[in-house]
Amino acid sequence: MHPILGQSGRLGPYLLAWVPLAGVLLYLLSGPGGLTTLEAAMMVLPLCVVYAFICLSAWYSCRGTPLETSGFWRLALTHQMAAILVSLLWVLIAKYLAIALSKADMFSDLREKVARTYPLLFASGVLLYLLAVGLHYVLFSVEASRDAERRESEARVLARESELKALKAQVNPHFLFNSLNSISALTSIDASKAREMCILLADFLRRTLGMGEKTGISLHEELALVRSFLSVEKVRFGARLNVEERVTPDALGFSVPPLLLQPLVENAVGHGISSLTEGGYIKIDVRCESNGKNTQNSEDAAGSQDLVIAVENNFDREAPRRRGHGVGLANVRQRLGARYGNRAQFEAHAEDDRFRVEIVLPAEKQEPVA
Amino acid sequence: MNEMNRKLTAVIVDDEDLARAIVRELLKPHADIEILGECANGFEAVKLVSEGKPDLLFLDIQMPKLDGFEVLELIGPDIAVIFVTAYDEHALRAFEVHAVDYLLKPVGAERFEAALERARLRVGTVATPEATELAATARTPGNYAERLVVKDGTKVQIIPVAKLDYVEAQDDYVALASQGKRHLKQQTISSVEAMLDPKAFLRIHRSIIVNLERVVRVEPYSKDSHIAILHDNTRLPVSRAGYTRLRAVLDRQS
C-alpha cells in the first residue's frame, strides 16, 4: 500500500510540505527567471499541485529498488532516469500551461519568458523528484520497523502462550489419578500413611500452583518441587523407585524456567521406573560449568557460567512403547529454544538400558521483577 | 441362578502393590470369588492365566513387559476381563476387544460392584471366538503394531516387526517366521495383516504375508505363479493377484 495515499491523514501534511518548496520556486522564477511575481504565481501554483501528485509515483521506483538489496549504481541509475523522465514531463506541462496562459492579454509574452526558464524548471524538477524518493524511503523504513515491532510482539505472545500451554500440561492428570488410587488403597491398610500421602500430594500441588505466572524460579525451588513429586511417587512405587541426587550448592541460586526439571523426572518415572518390575534408578545431576565466554568481564561472573542439568534413568528396552512418549521432553526443548535460543542446549539419548537428558543453559541470577 | 452359586476364580494384574491391594479389598465381601493370584507384570499374567485358567481377570493397561492389550491377545477369549486403569483414552479399544468393563482409578465400590455383576453374567455365556481377532485389529488406522507377541508354552516371545520375515497361515494358526525360527500363534492371517504396516508388509498369497525388505528377487515358477526368494533363500509362493501387488510395489521402489 502507498505510504502516503494508503493512510488517511498523511496527504495533508505532504501537500503542506510543498508550500515552502513552491515558495522557493516562486522566488526562482520571479527573480533569476525574469517573470513578474504574478506570472510566476500563476505558473507555480498549478505546476506544484500537479507535481506534488506526480512525485507520489516515486513509490513505484522505490518499491522496485529496495534500499537493502539494490546496489548503489542500480539505485542511482533507476532514480536518475525516473527523475529525468518525470521532470521532462513537468517541463512539458509548464510549456502548455504557458501557452494556455498567454492567450490572456496580460500574459502575452509568457510563452517566451517560460521557455527561457526550462533549464531551471528541469533542474528543480529533478531535485524535487529525488527529494520525494528520499521521503518514500524514509516512510518505507518507518513502516518496516513498525512491522517488525508488531511481528516481534506477536511472536512474544505466541511464545508465552506455548509456555502456558506447556505448564498446564505438566501436571499430568494420570499422576493425580494414580496417586488418589494409592491413597484410596492406603485408607484401610495404613490410615496414617494415607494421610501422609494426602499431605505430600497437597504439598506438590501447592508448589505447582502459580508457577505459570512466573518466568523464572530458583533452582532450589525447582528441586524442592521435584523432591515433592518424587516423594509422592515413592509411595506408589515403593522400593522400585531409587533416586540419587548430586547438586553442587553454587547452582542453587540461579534462575531456571519453572517446571523445567520436573517433566524430565516425570518422564524418567513414567518410561523408566514403571517399565521395570524390579525397579530402577533416577540420577539427578546439577552443576555449574565455566563456558569460557565473557572471561575478561570479571564483574559479570554469572554470564561466564552455564548450568548443566542432567537426568538419567534406566528402562526396559523390551517394554511396550507408552503413549505420549517424549511429549514432556519436547515441551522442555521448545521452551528452552523460545527462551534462550542457541544459548541453551538440549540433548536426549538412549544407550543400552540407560536414558539420559542433558540441558545446558546460561546461569542467570534471579531477576526481582516477575 | 445356578451359575451365581458357582465359585469364580480371579487374577489381579497391576504393577503397583497398592493398586492390587484395593482390588483385593473390594473383592473381600464377595465370598463367591476366589483370588487365584496376583501378578505385577504382563509375563507373569500370561503364565498364571494359562496355568490357572481363571474366570475373571482384573487387568491394568500400562505395565512392564507386556501391556494389558498384549496380555489379552495372548490369553484368548475365554476370560472375562475388567480393565482397571488411570487412563480413559483406551476405553473404546477395551470394549472393542470385548472387555466386560473398564474401571477408572481411583475405583469406587459401587462402580466395582456393577462391573462384577456384568462379569458374573458374562462368565456363564460362551465368549465370542473372535475376541482375540478383535484385540489384534482394534487399533486406530495408521497406528500399526511395533511388535507381535507369541506364547511358546508358558513363555512369551516378543517379535519386533522389523525382525519378522514372513507370516504363513497354517490351519487355525499362523506361523511367524523371524530369525530362522517359526512361532505359532492362534490367530487368522487377515488379522495379522491388519496389524502390520502395509508399506512394509505385503500379502503375496492367500496364506502368506512377506516383509518386503526381505525379498531379494521374484522368479516365475509355473504358468500362473511365481516364487519370491528371501535373503536366506526361503522360497515363498506368490499368487497371481499377489504378483500383481508385488510388481506394483517393486516397480515403485526401483
Side-chain angles (χ1 to χ4, degrees), chain A residues 144-185:
Chain A
S145 77
R146 252 188 221 172
D147 259 17
E149 217 169 276
R150 205 189 56 235
R151 264 200 300 276
E152 198 186 323
S153 78
E154 273 172 5
R156 257 204 308 274
V157 168
L158 267 178
R160 187 84 195 123
E161 261 171 22
S162 77
E163 179 110 328
L164 282 177
K165 211 168 11 181
L167 291 175
K168 229 157 87 186
Q170 287 317 328
V171 179
N172 187 338
H174 301 126
F175 161 73
L176 267 185
F177 294 140
N178 278 317
S179 302
L180 289 171
N181 198 49
S182 302
I183 293 174
S184 157

mmCIF file of all heavy atoms in Angstrom, chain A residues 144-185:
data_model
loop_
_atom_site.group_PDB
_atom_site.id
_atom_site.type_symbol
_atom_site.label_atom_id
_atom_site.label_comp_id
_atom_site.label_asym_id
_atom_site.label_seq_id
_atom_site.Cartn_x
_atom_site.Cartn_y
_atom_site.Cartn_z
ATOM 1 N N ALA A 144 8.519 -0.495 7.892
ATOM 2 C CA ALA A 144 9.179 -1.784 8.105
ATOM 3 C C ALA A 144 9.489 -1.999 9.579
ATOM 4 O O ALA A 144 9.290 -3.094 10.114
ATOM 5 C CB ALA A 144 10.470 -1.858 7.278
ATOM 6 N N SER A 145 9.948 -0.929 10.229
ATOM 7 C CA SER A 145 10.300 -1.112 11.638
ATOM 8 C C SER A 145 9.043 -1.302 12.477
ATOM 9 O O SER A 145 9.037 -2.058 13.441
ATOM 10 C CB SER A 145 11.125 0.071 12.157
ATOM 11 O OG SER A 145 10.296 1.168 12.400
ATOM 12 N N ARG A 146 7.952 -0.637 12.060
ATOM 13 C CA ARG A 146 6.686 -0.863 12.762
ATOM 14 C C ARG A 146 6.230 -2.301 12.598
ATOM 15 O O ARG A 146 5.781 -2.954 13.530
ATOM 16 C CB ARG A 146 5.610 0.060 12.180
ATOM 17 C CG ARG A 146 5.285 1.170 13.154
ATOM 18 C CD ARG A 146 4.114 1.936 12.646
ATOM 19 N NE ARG A 146 4.348 3.345 12.866
ATOM 20 C CZ ARG A 146 3.585 4.313 12.400
ATOM 21 N NH1 ARG A 146 2.562 4.009 11.629
ATOM 22 N NH2 ARG A 146 3.833 5.553 12.667
ATOM 23 N N ASP A 147 6.367 -2.808 11.361
ATOM 24 C CA ASP A 147 6.003 -4.200 11.067
ATOM 25 C C ASP A 147 6.798 -5.151 11.940
ATOM 26 O O ASP A 147 6.255 -6.077 12.530
ATOM 27 C CB ASP A 147 6.315 -4.510 9.593
ATOM 28 C CG ASP A 147 5.060 -4.458 8.744
ATOM 29 O OD1 ASP A 147 4.069 -3.883 9.228
ATOM 30 O OD2 ASP A 147 5.091 -5.003 7.626
ATOM 31 N N ALA A 148 8.097 -4.889 11.977
ATOM 32 C CA ALA A 148 8.987 -5.766 12.732
ATOM 33 C C ALA A 148 8.598 -5.771 14.197
ATOM 34 O O ALA A 148 8.572 -6.812 14.852
ATOM 35 C CB ALA A 148 10.435 -5.310 12.571
ATOM 36 N N GLU A 149 8.246 -4.577 14.684
ATOM 37 C CA GLU A 149 7.841 -4.463 16.085
ATOM 38 C C GLU A 149 6.583 -5.274 16.354
ATOM 39 O O GLU A 149 6.489 -5.996 17.339
ATOM 40 C CB GLU A 149 7.563 -2.987 16.387
ATOM 41 C CG GLU A 149 7.977 -2.546 17.763
ATOM 42 C CD GLU A 149 7.897 -1.033 17.839
ATOM 43 O OE1 GLU A 149 8.860 -0.350 17.435
ATOM 44 O OE2 GLU A 149 6.844 -0.551 18.263
ATOM 45 N N ARG A 150 5.638 -5.144 15.408
ATOM 46 C CA ARG A 150 4.382 -5.858 15.586
ATOM 47 C C ARG A 150 4.616 -7.366 15.557
ATOM 48 O O ARG A 150 4.115 -8.106 16.380
ATOM 49 C CB ARG A 150 3.409 -5.461 14.467
ATOM 50 C CG ARG A 150 1.950 -5.647 14.873
ATOM 51 C CD ARG A 150 1.010 -5.460 13.703
ATOM 52 N NE ARG A 150 1.341 -6.340 12.610
ATOM 53 C CZ ARG A 150 1.592 -5.930 11.357
ATOM 54 N NH1 ARG A 150 1.539 -4.658 11.060
ATOM 55 N NH2 ARG A 150 1.880 -6.792 10.410
ATOM 56 N N ARG A 151 5.446 -7.772 14.576
ATOM 57 C CA ARG A 151 5.739 -9.206 14.468
ATOM 58 C C ARG A 151 6.408 -9.721 15.732
ATOM 59 O O ARG A 151 6.099 -10.789 16.219
ATOM 60 C CB ARG A 151 6.637 -9.467 13.259
ATOM 61 C CG ARG A 151 5.857 -9.888 12.033
ATOM 62 C CD ARG A 151 6.761 -10.588 11.054
ATOM 63 N NE ARG A 151 7.855 -9.744 10.606
ATOM 64 C CZ ARG A 151 7.749 -8.870 9.601
ATOM 65 N NH1 ARG A 151 6.610 -8.727 8.977
ATOM 66 N NH2 ARG A 151 8.781 -8.136 9.248
ATOM 67 N N GLU A 152 7.307 -8.908 16.248
ATOM 68 C CA GLU A 152 8.033 -9.334 17.449
ATOM 69 C C GLU A 152 7.086 -9.508 18.623
ATOM 70 O O GLU A 152 7.153 -10.485 19.361
ATOM 71 C CB GLU A 152 9.108 -8.306 17.784
ATOM 72 C CG GLU A 152 10.168 -8.846 18.706
ATOM 73 C CD GLU A 152 11.119 -7.747 19.131
ATOM 74 O OE1 GLU A 152 11.422 -6.870 18.292
ATOM 75 O OE2 GLU A 152 11.532 -7.754 20.298
ATOM 76 N N SER A 153 6.152 -8.539 18.750
ATOM 77 C CA SER A 153 5.236 -8.644 19.893
ATOM 78 C C SER A 153 4.293 -9.820 19.700
ATOM 79 O O SER A 153 3.917 -10.491 20.647
ATOM 80 C CB SER A 153 4.477 -7.342 20.105
ATOM 81 O OG SER A 153 3.433 -7.230 19.185
ATOM 82 N N GLU A 154 3.944 -10.091 18.424
ATOM 83 C CA GLU A 154 3.101 -11.261 18.158
ATOM 84 C C GLU A 154 3.848 -12.536 18.540
ATOM 85 O O GLU A 154 3.279 -13.443 19.150
ATOM 86 C CB GLU A 154 2.734 -11.328 16.675
ATOM 87 C CG GLU A 154 1.493 -10.536 16.347
ATOM 88 C CD GLU A 154 1.265 -10.450 14.851
ATOM 89 O OE1 GLU A 154 2.030 -11.096 14.084
ATOM 90 O OE2 GLU A 154 0.362 -9.729 14.454
ATOM 91 N N ALA A 155 5.127 -12.589 18.182
ATOM 92 C CA ALA A 155 5.938 -13.766 18.494
ATOM 93 C C ALA A 155 6.053 -13.947 20.000
ATOM 94 O O ALA A 155 6.026 -15.063 20.508
ATOM 95 C CB ALA A 155 7.322 -13.633 17.870
ATOM 96 N N ARG A 156 6.178 -12.795 20.690
ATOM 97 C CA ARG A 156 6.282 -12.883 22.152
ATOM 98 C C ARG A 156 5.008 -13.472 22.751
ATOM 99 O O ARG A 156 5.052 -14.334 23.622
ATOM 100 C CB ARG A 156 6.536 -11.486 22.731
ATOM 101 C CG ARG A 156 7.966 -11.239 23.135
ATOM 102 C CD ARG A 156 8.046 -10.160 24.177
ATOM 103 N NE ARG A 156 7.340 -8.947 23.801
ATOM 104 C CZ ARG A 156 7.880 -7.964 23.072
ATOM 105 N NH1 ARG A 156 9.128 -8.059 22.660
ATOM 106 N NH2 ARG A 156 7.194 -6.892 22.765
ATOM 107 N N VAL A 157 3.869 -13.010 22.225
ATOM 108 C CA VAL A 157 2.593 -13.520 22.728
ATOM 109 C C VAL A 157 2.491 -15.022 22.471
ATOM 110 O O VAL A 157 2.100 -15.806 23.330
ATOM 111 C CB VAL A 157 1.414 -12.767 22.056
ATOM 112 C CG1 VAL A 157 0.098 -13.476 22.338
ATOM 113 C CG2 VAL A 157 1.359 -11.336 22.554
ATOM 114 N N LEU A 158 2.897 -15.419 21.266
ATOM 115 C CA LEU A 158 2.850 -16.841 20.905
ATOM 116 C C LEU A 158 3.720 -17.673 21.831
ATOM 117 O O LEU A 158 3.315 -18.726 22.316
ATOM 118 C CB LEU A 158 3.326 -17.026 19.460
ATOM 119 C CG LEU A 158 2.232 -17.013 18.403
ATOM 120 C CD1 LEU A 158 2.854 -17.161 17.028
ATOM 121 C CD2 LEU A 158 1.243 -18.138 18.658
ATOM 122 N N ALA A 159 4.932 -17.191 22.068
ATOM 123 C CA ALA A 159 5.867 -17.924 22.910
ATOM 124 C C ALA A 159 5.296 -18.079 24.316
ATOM 125 O O ALA A 159 5.357 -19.143 24.919
ATOM 126 C CB ALA A 159 7.209 -17.201 22.963
ATOM 127 N N ARG A 160 4.693 -17.002 24.784
ATOM 128 C CA ARG A 160 4.103 -17.014 26.125
ATOM 129 C C ARG A 160 2.956 -18.023 26.197
ATOM 130 O O ARG A 160 2.807 -18.764 27.151
ATOM 131 C CB ARG A 160 3.602 -15.603 26.440
ATOM 132 C CG ARG A 160 3.122 -15.412 27.844
ATOM 133 C CD ARG A 160 4.266 -15.121 28.787
ATOM 134 N NE ARG A 160 3.812 -15.297 30.161
ATOM 135 C CZ ARG A 160 4.358 -16.120 31.028
ATOM 136 N NH1 ARG A 160 5.389 -16.855 30.672
ATOM 137 N NH2 ARG A 160 3.913 -16.220 32.252
ATOM 138 N N GLU A 161 2.159 -18.020 25.108
ATOM 139 C CA GLU A 161 1.036 -18.948 25.062
ATOM 140 C C GLU A 161 1.506 -20.382 25.115
ATOM 141 O O GLU A 161 0.959 -21.206 25.834
ATOM 142 C CB GLU A 161 0.227 -18.733 23.776
ATOM 143 C CG GLU A 161 -1.009 -17.891 23.996
ATOM 144 C CD GLU A 161 -1.661 -17.519 22.685
ATOM 145 O OE1 GLU A 161 -1.427 -18.210 21.670
ATOM 146 O OE2 GLU A 161 -2.393 -16.523 22.667
ATOM 147 N N SER A 162 2.543 -20.685 24.325
ATOM 148 C CA SER A 162 3.021 -22.059 24.294
ATOM 149 C C SER A 162 3.624 -22.434 25.635
ATOM 150 O O SER A 162 3.527 -23.563 26.088
ATOM 151 C CB SER A 162 4.040 -22.261 23.168
ATOM 152 O OG SER A 162 5.281 -21.724 23.537
ATOM 153 N N GLU A 163 4.209 -21.447 26.271
ATOM 154 C CA GLU A 163 4.768 -21.668 27.596
ATOM 155 C C GLU A 163 3.654 -22.052 28.577
ATOM 156 O O GLU A 163 3.751 -23.030 29.306
ATOM 157 C CB GLU A 163 5.458 -20.387 28.064
ATOM 158 C CG GLU A 163 6.053 -20.488 29.429
ATOM 159 C CD GLU A 163 7.566 -20.488 29.359
ATOM 160 O OE1 GLU A 163 8.120 -20.980 28.384
ATOM 161 O OE2 GLU A 163 8.174 -19.999 30.287
ATOM 162 N N LEU A 164 2.570 -21.276 28.538
ATOM 163 C CA LEU A 164 1.458 -21.532 29.453
ATOM 164 C C LEU A 164 0.832 -22.887 29.176
ATOM 165 O O LEU A 164 0.500 -23.627 30.078
ATOM 166 C CB LEU A 164 0.394 -20.437 29.320
ATOM 167 C CG LEU A 164 0.725 -19.122 30.014
ATOM 168 C CD1 LEU A 164 -0.369 -18.105 29.746
ATOM 169 C CD2 LEU A 164 0.871 -19.338 31.515
ATOM 170 N N LYS A 165 0.699 -23.184 27.866
ATOM 171 C CA LYS A 165 0.120 -24.462 27.486
ATOM 172 C C LYS A 165 0.989 -25.600 28.029
ATOM 173 O O LYS A 165 0.487 -26.579 28.569
ATOM 174 C CB LYS A 165 0.007 -24.553 25.963
ATOM 175 C CG LYS A 165 -1.164 -25.383 25.583
ATOM 176 C CD LYS A 165 -1.599 -25.351 24.122
ATOM 177 C CE LYS A 165 -0.737 -24.729 23.096
ATOM 178 N NZ LYS A 165 -1.241 -24.725 21.766
ATOM 179 N N ALA A 166 2.280 -25.421 27.875
ATOM 180 C CA ALA A 166 3.218 -26.437 28.347
ATOM 181 C C ALA A 166 3.079 -26.625 29.847
ATOM 182 O O ALA A 166 3.021 -27.738 30.349
ATOM 183 C CB ALA A 166 4.644 -26.031 27.994
ATOM 184 N N LEU A 167 2.977 -25.506 30.556
ATOM 185 C CA LEU A 167 2.895 -25.592 32.006
ATOM 186 C C LEU A 167 1.599 -26.274 32.452
ATOM 187 O O LEU A 167 1.591 -27.059 33.379
ATOM 188 C CB LEU A 167 2.975 -24.196 32.618
ATOM 189 C CG LEU A 167 4.334 -23.537 32.479
ATOM 190 C CD1 LEU A 167 4.281 -22.128 33.006
ATOM 191 C CD2 LEU A 167 5.394 -24.338 33.198
ATOM 192 N N LYS A 168 0.518 -25.932 31.711
ATOM 193 C CA LYS A 168 -0.750 -26.513 32.077
ATOM 194 C C LYS A 168 -0.707 -28.026 31.893
ATOM 195 O O LYS A 168 -1.293 -28.776 32.670
ATOM 196 C CB LYS A 168 -1.855 -25.907 31.217
ATOM 197 C CG LYS A 168 -3.029 -25.456 32.051
ATOM 198 C CD LYS A 168 -3.840 -24.410 31.346
ATOM 199 C CE LYS A 168 -4.900 -24.977 30.457
ATOM 200 N NZ LYS A 168 -5.574 -23.944 29.674
ATOM 201 N N ALA A 169 -0.017 -28.448 30.826
ATOM 202 C CA ALA A 169 0.034 -29.871 30.532
ATOM 203 C C ALA A 169 0.949 -30.621 31.497
ATOM 204 O O ALA A 169 0.928 -31.826 31.573
ATOM 205 C CB ALA A 169 0.516 -30.085 29.101
ATOM 206 N N GLN A 170 1.752 -29.861 32.234
ATOM 207 C CA GLN A 170 2.778 -30.537 33.031
ATOM 208 C C GLN A 170 2.231 -31.358 34.175
ATOM 209 O O GLN A 170 2.709 -32.430 34.456
ATOM 210 C CB GLN A 170 3.795 -29.532 33.579
ATOM 211 C CG GLN A 170 4.730 -29.004 32.539
ATOM 212 C CD GLN A 170 5.231 -30.072 31.611
ATOM 213 O OE1 GLN A 170 5.390 -31.219 31.981
ATOM 214 N NE2 GLN A 170 5.480 -29.704 30.370
ATOM 215 N N VAL A 171 1.236 -30.823 34.874
ATOM 216 C CA VAL A 171 0.701 -31.616 35.972
ATOM 217 C C VAL A 171 -0.213 -32.662 35.360
ATOM 218 O O VAL A 171 -1.352 -32.419 35.016
ATOM 219 C CB VAL A 171 -0.028 -30.745 36.998
ATOM 220 C CG1 VAL A 171 -0.587 -31.617 38.106
ATOM 221 C CG2 VAL A 171 0.935 -29.727 37.574
ATOM 222 N N ASN A 172 0.381 -33.819 35.183
ATOM 223 C CA ASN A 172 -0.239 -34.914 34.478
ATOM 224 C C ASN A 172 -1.445 -35.434 35.253
ATOM 225 O O ASN A 172 -1.313 -35.841 36.395
ATOM 226 C CB ASN A 172 0.830 -35.997 34.348
ATOM 227 C CG ASN A 172 0.381 -37.133 33.494
ATOM 228 O OD1 ASN A 172 -0.810 -37.344 33.310
ATOM 229 N ND2 ASN A 172 1.341 -37.867 32.978
ATOM 230 N N PRO A 173 -2.628 -35.424 34.643
ATOM 231 C CA PRO A 173 -3.804 -35.903 35.379
ATOM 232 C C PRO A 173 -3.665 -37.367 35.810
ATOM 233 O O PRO A 173 -4.189 -37.742 36.849
ATOM 234 C CB PRO A 173 -4.955 -35.715 34.393
ATOM 235 C CG PRO A 173 -4.326 -35.494 33.066
ATOM 236 C CD PRO A 173 -2.966 -34.941 33.308
ATOM 237 N N HIS A 174 -2.952 -38.163 35.018
ATOM 238 C CA HIS A 174 -2.815 -39.575 35.390
ATOM 239 C C HIS A 174 -2.004 -39.749 36.662
ATOM 240 O O HIS A 174 -2.219 -40.663 37.440
ATOM 241 C CB HIS A 174 -2.194 -40.367 34.242
ATOM 242 C CG HIS A 174 -3.007 -40.294 33.004
ATOM 243 N ND1 HIS A 174 -2.496 -39.895 31.798
ATOM 244 C CD2 HIS A 174 -4.326 -40.514 32.808
ATOM 245 C CE1 HIS A 174 -3.459 -39.896 30.908
ATOM 246 N NE2 HIS A 174 -4.574 -40.253 31.484
ATOM 247 N N PHE A 175 -1.060 -38.822 36.835
ATOM 248 C CA PHE A 175 -0.297 -38.823 38.074
ATOM 249 C C PHE A 175 -1.244 -38.614 39.253
ATOM 250 O O PHE A 175 -1.176 -39.305 40.276
ATOM 251 C CB PHE A 175 0.767 -37.716 38.015
ATOM 252 C CG PHE A 175 1.317 -37.316 39.352
ATOM 253 C CD1 PHE A 175 2.190 -38.153 40.034
ATOM 254 C CD2 PHE A 175 0.972 -36.108 39.928
ATOM 255 C CE1 PHE A 175 2.695 -37.787 41.266
ATOM 256 C CE2 PHE A 175 1.467 -35.739 41.160
ATOM 257 C CZ PHE A 175 2.326 -36.576 41.829
ATOM 258 N N LEU A 176 -2.164 -37.670 39.071
ATOM 259 C CA LEU A 176 -3.156 -37.401 40.119
ATOM 260 C C LEU A 176 -4.045 -38.609 40.381
ATOM 261 O O LEU A 176 -4.247 -39.016 41.518
ATOM 262 C CB LEU A 176 -4.043 -36.227 39.702
ATOM 263 C CG LEU A 176 -3.643 -34.844 40.152
ATOM 264 C CD1 LEU A 176 -4.703 -33.844 39.734
ATOM 265 C CD2 LEU A 176 -3.490 -34.819 41.667
ATOM 266 N N PHE A 177 -4.575 -39.189 39.286
ATOM 267 C CA PHE A 177 -5.495 -40.317 39.445
ATOM 268 C C PHE A 177 -4.805 -41.487 40.128
ATOM 269 O O PHE A 177 -5.359 -42.117 41.022
ATOM 270 C CB PHE A 177 -6.056 -40.742 38.095
ATOM 271 C CG PHE A 177 -6.940 -39.708 37.462
ATOM 272 C CD1 PHE A 177 -6.886 -39.453 36.107
ATOM 273 C CD2 PHE A 177 -7.829 -38.975 38.238
ATOM 274 C CE1 PHE A 177 -7.693 -38.492 35.529
ATOM 275 C CE2 PHE A 177 -8.643 -38.011 37.671
ATOM 276 C CZ PHE A 177 -8.577 -37.769 36.317
ATOM 277 N N ASN A 178 -3.599 -41.784 39.697
ATOM 278 C CA ASN A 178 -2.869 -42.901 40.297
ATOM 279 C C ASN A 178 -2.574 -42.633 41.768
ATOM 280 O O ASN A 178 -2.657 -43.534 42.601
ATOM 281 C CB ASN A 178 -1.569 -43.157 39.531
ATOM 282 C CG ASN A 178 -1.808 -43.997 38.288
ATOM 283 O OD1 ASN A 178 -2.554 -44.961 38.331
ATOM 284 N ND2 ASN A 178 -1.192 -43.611 37.181
ATOM 285 N N SER A 179 -2.224 -41.379 42.087
ATOM 286 C CA SER A 179 -1.938 -41.038 43.482
ATOM 287 C C SER A 179 -3.193 -41.182 44.336
ATOM 288 O O SER A 179 -3.153 -41.721 45.444
ATOM 289 C CB SER A 179 -1.429 -39.601 43.579
ATOM 290 O OG SER A 179 -0.286 -39.446 42.793
ATOM 291 N N LEU A 180 -4.321 -40.697 43.786
ATOM 292 C CA LEU A 180 -5.576 -40.814 44.531
ATOM 293 C C LEU A 180 -5.937 -42.282 44.744
ATOM 294 O O LEU A 180 -6.448 -42.671 45.799
ATOM 295 C CB LEU A 180 -6.698 -40.085 43.779
ATOM 296 C CG LEU A 180 -6.577 -38.564 43.798
ATOM 297 C CD1 LEU A 180 -7.597 -37.926 42.864
ATOM 298 C CD2 LEU A 180 -6.770 -38.024 45.212
ATOM 299 N N ASN A 181 -5.639 -43.101 43.735
ATOM 300 C CA ASN A 181 -5.907 -44.531 43.874
ATOM 301 C C ASN A 181 -5.061 -45.131 45.000
ATOM 302 O O ASN A 181 -5.541 -45.950 45.788
ATOM 303 C CB ASN A 181 -5.614 -45.228 42.552
ATOM 304 C CG ASN A 181 -6.262 -46.597 42.471
ATOM 305 O OD1 ASN A 181 -7.439 -46.749 42.760
ATOM 306 N ND2 ASN A 181 -5.469 -47.599 42.120
ATOM 307 N N SER A 182 -3.802 -44.700 45.064
ATOM 308 C CA SER A 182 -2.932 -45.191 46.138
ATOM 309 C C SER A 182 -3.486 -44.765 47.498
ATOM 310 O O SER A 182 -3.527 -45.569 48.436
ATOM 311 C CB SER A 182 -1.519 -44.626 45.985
ATOM 312 O OG SER A 182 -0.983 -44.962 44.739
ATOM 313 N N ILE A 183 -3.902 -43.515 47.588
ATOM 314 C CA ILE A 183 -4.457 -43.026 48.854
ATOM 315 C C ILE A 183 -5.681 -43.847 49.229
ATOM 316 O O ILE A 183 -5.832 -44.290 50.371
ATOM 317 C CB ILE A 183 -4.836 -41.528 48.746
ATOM 318 C CG1 ILE A 183 -3.574 -40.682 48.587
ATOM 319 C CG2 ILE A 183 -5.621 -41.083 49.974
ATOM 320 C CD1 ILE A 183 -3.836 -39.218 48.327
ATOM 321 N N SER A 184 -6.536 -44.068 48.246
ATOM 322 C CA SER A 184 -7.755 -44.847 48.479
ATOM 323 C C SER A 184 -7.412 -46.241 49.001
ATOM 324 O O SER A 184 -8.071 -46.755 49.903
ATOM 325 C CB SER A 184 -8.532 -44.910 47.165
ATOM 326 O OG SER A 184 -9.394 -45.987 47.128
ATOM 327 N N ALA A 185 -6.350 -46.845 48.441
ATOM 328 C CA ALA A 185 -5.944 -48.176 48.912
ATOM 329 C C ALA A 185 -5.389 -48.115 50.331
ATOM 330 O O ALA A 185 -5.641 -48.996 51.147
ATOM 331 C CB ALA A 185 -4.896 -48.763 47.966
#
